Amino acid sequence: LPRRNTLSLFDDSRSPSDQLIEVANFLVRRTLEMKSDGARPDDLLIYYVGHGLFTRGGQAYCLAVRSTNELNEGATSIRAGDLADVVKENAAFLRRYIILDCCFAASIDREFQSGALGAARVQMANEFPARGTALLCSSSAHEASLAPQGLEHTMFSDALIRSLRAGHPSLGPRMSFSELGDLIQIGRAHV
């Protein structure tokens, strides 16, 4: 993956709105640059590892960033709906693969999908959908993600990394997002 095709906001101390503007600008800029180079962008991969939380009253699902303040977590985090809007507006014709390693991760499905989590499962089961969004979540909408003591990464990210590095003999050199999810489940059981 060419470095110019990646945007890392890990440990970025800017406000959630500034980070969302950065994501939108990056998507627009790279799409235009790739098209002018004769390439056609097809896929967008978003990987988030951090804290997932709900605003007071449980109304909106949010992703914590470095500037999140526990006194007003909802207002100082990236709202899932705002991230979904940025992605849908600026990557409308890309296949979107979203990997979330945070508590209550599957709560984001309602922002990117038209239906309930069942729709996300159906979409993930279709090997690399022609267009749309596939989600790979570390936890359901009702459970916390785990980071056992002694692991360098969270349980999910550890299993993700091991699955990507080792693959599976029956899958060959390529695997679908759904198959990757299955390998992660197996890997998490062995931690």
Side-chain angles (χ1 to χ4, degrees):
L1 181 65
R3 179 79 174 119
R4 66 182 184 269
N5 286 350
T6 63
L7 172 66
S8 175
L9 297 176
F10 184 76
D11 233 3
D12 192 309
S13 60
R14 291 179 290 175
S15 71
S17 60
D18 287 342
Q19 289 187 45
L20 287 171
I21 290 168
E22 178 73 18
V23 170
N25 290 339
F26 173 79
L27 290 171
V28 169
R29 183 180 69 252
R30 279 306 297 146
T31 299
L32 291 173
E33 290 170 354
M34 289 179 75
K35 286 181 180 177
S36 73
D37 291 342
R40 191 179 119 224
D42 290 318
D43 303 311
L44 172 65
L45 173 67
I46 296 175
Y47 175 72
Y48 173 84
V49 60
H51 298 286
L53 55 103
F54 292 95
T55 57
R56 288 195 180 113
Q59 299 301 313
Y61 184 64
C62 300
L63 303 173
V65 294
R66 184 172 181 83
S67 63
T68 298
N69 181 315
E70 73 179 88
L71 295 175
N72 198 351
E73 291 176 329
T76 58
S77 297
I78 293 177
R79 289 181 187 250
D82 294 337
L83 176 61
D85 288 345
V86 165
V87 170
K88 287 188 263 187
E89 288 172 18
N90 298 287
F93 300 106
L94 300 181
R95 290 179 297 230
R96 299 172 296 254
Y97 302 95
I98 301 172
I99 302 173
L100 296 179
D101 187 357
C102 51
C103 294
F104 320 112
S107 296
I108 204 166
D109 80 299
R110 63 182 161 213
E111 304 299 339
F112 283 93
Q113 302 290 341
S114 56
L117 185 55
R121 286 191 187 114
V122 168
Q123 188 138 10
M124 282 176 36
N126 295 329
E127 316 280 320
F128 292 99
R131 290 288 179 253
T133 303
L135 300 171
L136 193 52
C137 299
S138 64
S139 60
S140 76
H142 307 288
E143 66 183 352
S145 292
L146 303 174
Q149 220 170 14
L151 278 183
E152 185 179 347
H153 305 95
T154 64
M155 184 182 284
F156 175 83
S157 285
D158 186 69
L160 172 67
I161 292 165
R162 283 188 288 113
S163 297
L164 289 170
R165 286 185 177 152
H168 193 275
S170 68
L171 298 176
R174 300 180 73 140
M175 69 180 101
S176 71
F177 216 54
S178 180
E179 290 166 334
L180 177 59
D182 291 343
L183 284 179
I184 291 169
Q185 283 295 96
I186 294 166
R188 286 171 66 178
H190 291 80
V191 173

